[in-house]
Amino acid sequence: MKFSEKWLREWVNPDIDTEALAHQLTMAGLEVDAIEPVAGAFDKVVVGEVIGLEPHPDADKLRVATVNVGADESLQIVCGAANVREGLRAPTALVGAKLPGDLKIKKSKLRGVPSQGMLCSEKELGLADSAEGLMELPDEAPVGESIRDYLQLDDVTIELGLTPNRGDCLSVAGIAREVGVLNKLSVAGPDLGACTAGIDASLSVKLEAAGACPQYAGRVLRGINSNAETPLWLAERLRRSGLRSLGPVVDVTNYVLLELGQPMHAFDLGKLNGGIRVRYANTGESLTLLDEQTIELDSETLVIADETAPVALAGIMGGAASAVGEGTVDIFLESAYFAPQAIAGKARGYGLHTDSSHRFERGVDPQLQVPALERATALLQAICGGEAGPVVHVQQADRLPVRAPVRLRNARIGRILGADIAGDAVVDILARLGMGVQPADSDEGRGARGEEELVWEVTPPSFRFDINLEVDLIEELGRIYGYDNLPASRPRISLAMGARPETRLKPADYKRLLVDLGYQEAVTYSFVDPKLQQQLDPQGTALMLANPISAEMAAMRTSLWPGLLQTALYNLNRQQDRVLLFEQGLKFVLQGSELKQEPVLAGLLSGSLLPPQWGSPARQADFFDCKGHVEQLLARTGQSEQFRFEPDDNHPALHPGQAAVIRHNDRLVGRLGALHPGLQQQLGLSQRVYLFEIEQAILVERRLPAFAPLSKYPSIRRDIAIVLDENIGAQKVKDCIEKAGSGWLKNIELFDVYVGEGIDSGRKSLALGLTLQDLSRTLKDEDVESEISTILTALDRELGATLRE
């Protein structure tokens, strides 16, 4: 909300300066975001009147003006503005004047003709960013008076950053009400009395969607001059509030919006077909708005219609077909109350955000419609003339919001605020806030009550939608009483050292491991592109958002991979060809009608395994690097032997032959692999990408290390090379050896895989190192040979593996 300080002080004028006023508003919860002067810094600029005009002798586009500035002698000024003319009154910078941008006015010659000043536009005075000609002042502007005094430019605009619950302060009236309460001053607003109806003309109004629009007021005005000039004072107030002048009818509706907080709209009466119907749109209807945008309406959109078609998007924007134009002589002025839930989200759904929708979404005073209509009528008649018909006021009272009383206990105030506010002060503050306060019996039903036993029934005013609970009232007391006046005290906290199980890892433990491996943590949106998610997880069912931020963020993620892939693509497109990312977060899985949130850890690896260095040749990361990183994560749990990696050739997003599932005691807990080449090409990724995702729950539980005695006898290693079917995985070989081996077998290490010359087609060679050791003695050669023979026999029997010759 942006407003002029001088405008506010016409309503209420506390004896404090601008800085103190801004601090007061901020401390009351109406945060001041900016304070800016309403005009640039300049001096020696007065009201001038052009009393003579001649063509320039040597320049077709220049003219020589004789300007009366209220001095003994008129000034000769050379001007090139298209709208300069005799009788025009405009700001005139005298010789010696300083204008915004460090422009100094001196006596000069323009194409040989002396010039003794400058006629100014709004841009040259810092009143606008651009201008097409001189700033035209009213004919009654006093010649010779300082422009700063005439336009009251020694003023500032104050911009508030209001929270959504303070829609009552989206007007000068609302802010003045707050300032009056804070300074214990009365507020003097304009006269909102009824205007006398001079004609009988009216328009019928039907409320066909009373739940969304329980109250509608309107009035016909005939014979207005829509080409009348908006008064300078009104146009200036609009400008200082961030709005530009668009003609007297629109300017008046915008002015009332800023002044009272009631959005209004004016229809060209001659362009309406029959009466007004407030209804929901029919499927297939469309509407061209004032901004020339044509939208397709759905059945949940509230519209203002005549007897044939929609003429406005209710509470948001009017239609172009019924807009007021230069030839308009008769209008229908609308002032309605729309329920916030009927307007919320509708403007954004059509890609719109207007001052009107901003206010209706937060709630407008349901008692403001008729007074605002009377105020707009008075202003329009003063500016444009015309005669007004009677007010057509249609309402369904049982659908209007009712402010229920809230019970307030004095003892509760002290417990929450930490300050004892006297009962009289409580009543005074609440009454000045416009609330009805009545004494009530305490919960204990005592007869003689002390101060701490006081209880009140407080009825919030119609414009305060945010007062529903006792704590809301206490918040109001705190901010008006003054947060600075509340006592400062340190909370008393009973501290106790909590138990920290050694079997539980913190997320920071495995995050630190990934950082040590070169990864960087990413935080991506929980909302993802449904198409990308379908490609990565076609079997998952995603929860679709009813009102997404954009089409690319319309589904809740069932995996963290979409966000990581989009982040990787962003980096690769910016010449960052080494990308190692991880993310800890939630994925959202629909299970029937319930949404399950599963915490997972996901990672992405692409490009060079190591950063450029002299000590190691550059090498692109591969599947086994990704698997090795996952194995290091799993090793932190102390349960590596309980995890198994099994081939996964069925996942559509991963490369067959370079994908695996991770099982923990036969339960699927994660997967990893290379992104499928087809999907990699569709996404526009320029290099191979490897992904992994693991349940977070299995990473945080660890087995405590336990001491095992060390053997004082030497270990013996035997290497074997076996030939077996190429489809048999190394895990099956390891399982077979562990099953066949005795307690002497301490370690199995796969150190070579060979396919090629000397190996039959469809077969492969695995080289394994077996470490044997006993705690009680040194093993003999015959012991080792017997153990190896037993293992080879089991490999041959169960897997068809033979010793390579």
Side-chain angles (χ1 to χ4, degrees), residues 5-6 32 45 115 151 159 213 292 300 340 349 351 407 411 422 452 482 668 722 726 732-733 735 748 793-794:
E5 182 184 0
K6 283 188 178 294
V32 174
V45 180
S115 183
L151 296 180
E159 186 170 1
C213 178
E292 302 300 328
E300 296 182 355
R407 194 174 184 83
E452 70 279 359
L668 180 66
I722 58 174
E726 66 179 358
K732 286 187 176 182
V733 174
D735 292 343
I748 306 170
T793 300

Side-chain angles (χ1 to χ4, degrees), residues 210 213-215 337 366 369 393 395-402:
C213 178
Q215 181 162 257
Y337 171 79
Q369 287 68 54
H393 184 200
Q395 69 172 355
Q396 194 161 331
D398 59 334
R399 297 294 187 96
L400 288 170
V402 178

Side-chain angles (χ1 to χ4, degrees), residues 54-66:
E54 297 178 359
H56 192 287
D58 294 325
D60 295 336
K61 294 184 178 181
L62 298 178
R63 282 176 284 183
V64 181
T66 302

Side-chain angles (χ1 to χ4, degrees), residues 55-284:
H56 192 287
D58 294 325
D60 295 336
K61 294 184 178 181
L62 298 178
R63 282 176 284 183
V64 181
T66 302
V67 182
N68 175 18
V69 292
D72 294 337
E73 296 183 2
S74 300
L75 303 179
Q76 177 176 289
I77 298 176
V78 178
C79 179
N83 64 332
V84 63
R85 62 184 182 275
E86 285 192 26
L88 172 68
R89 298 195 179 190
T92 305
L94 307 177
V95 173
K98 294 181 180 180
L99 300 183
D102 293 330
L103 177 62
K104 296 180 180 180
I105 304 302
K106 302 177 181 178
K107 289 184 179 180
S108 61
K109 287 187 178 182
L110 295 179
R111 302 291 292 270
V113 176
S115 183
Q116 300 170 310
M118 184 173 75
L119 295 171
C120 301
S121 66
E122 290 95 331
K123 180 181 179 181
E124 289 156 342
L125 298 180
L127 300 178
D129 294 331
S130 61
E132 296 180 356
L134 301 178
M135 181 179 182
E136 299 191 15
L137 301 175
D139 292 341
E140 62 271 15
V143 174
E145 183 174 345
S146 167
I147 283 292
R148 297 199 74 90
D149 295 337
Y150 176 64
L151 296 180
Q152 297 184 340
L153 295 181
D154 292 326
D155 186 15
V156 296
T157 60
I158 300 175
E159 186 170 1
L160 303 181
L162 297 174
T163 52
N165 65 312
R166 294 311 306 269
D168 61 297
C169 289
L170 287 168
S171 65
V172 174
I175 299 165
R177 186 166 49 230
E178 288 288 305
V179 174
V181 172
L182 293 169
N183 294 279
K184 298 183 178 181
L185 298 174
S186 59
V187 177
D191 180 15
L192 301 180
C195 295
T196 303
I199 56 176
D200 294 331
S202 64
L203 209 61
S204 65
V205 175
K206 296 180 182 179
L207 300 182
E208 299 178 13
C213 178
Q215 181 162 257
Y216 190 100
R219 159 177 271 163
V220 171
L221 278 86
R222 291 192 181 277
I224 68 166
N225 178 15
S226 59
N227 295 322
E229 186 176 349
T230 299
L232 186 60
W233 64 267
L234 194 151
E236 266 295 289
R237 286 184 176 178
L238 292 178
R239 181 187 72 81
R240 297 178 195 188
S241 299
L243 300 178
R244 59 190 179 92
S245 178
L246 298 172
V249 177
V250 177
D251 288 349
V252 165
T253 58
N254 284 337
Y255 182 83
V256 174
L257 168 87
L258 294 170
E259 183 181 56
L260 302 180
Q262 172 64 46
M264 304 183 71
H265 185 65
F267 300 96
D268 187 323
L269 186 62
K271 297 176 182 177
L272 295 177
N273 297 311
I276 292 294
R277 297 169 58 197
V278 184
R279 61 174 174 83
Y280 283 104
N282 299 319
T283 302

Side-chain angles (χ1 to χ4, degrees), residues 323-402:
V324 174
E326 292 182 359
T328 299
V329 292
D330 303 325
I331 65 171
F332 180 73
L333 199 58
E334 165 195 279
S335 179
Y337 171 79
F338 299 109
Q341 59 269 25
I343 306 299
K346 298 302 180 185
R348 188 172 63 185
Y350 290 108
L352 302 170
H353 181 81
T354 64
D355 289 332
S356 178
S357 66
H358 187 78
R359 285 162 173 80
F360 279 124
E361 286 176 348
R362 286 153 177 77
V364 171
D365 185 355
Q367 297 183 6
L368 188 58
Q369 287 68 54
V370 174
L373 187 63
E374 298 288 2
R375 172 63 168 161
T377 301
L379 289 171
L380 280 172
Q381 288 184 314
I383 298 170
C384 305
E387 292 185 291
V391 173
V392 178
H393 184 200
V394 182
Q395 69 172 355
Q396 194 161 331
D398 59 334
R399 297 294 187 96
L400 288 170
V402 178

Side-chain angles (χ1 to χ4, degrees), residues 567-586:
T567 304
L569 180 62
Y570 183 90
N571 282 271
L572 291 172
N573 288 341
R574 285 157 180 79
Q575 300 179 339
Q576 301 298 316
D577 55 3
R578 181 175 181 266
V579 181
L580 288 84
L581 300 170
F582 76 89
E583 180 175 7
Q584 173 202 354
L586 295 174

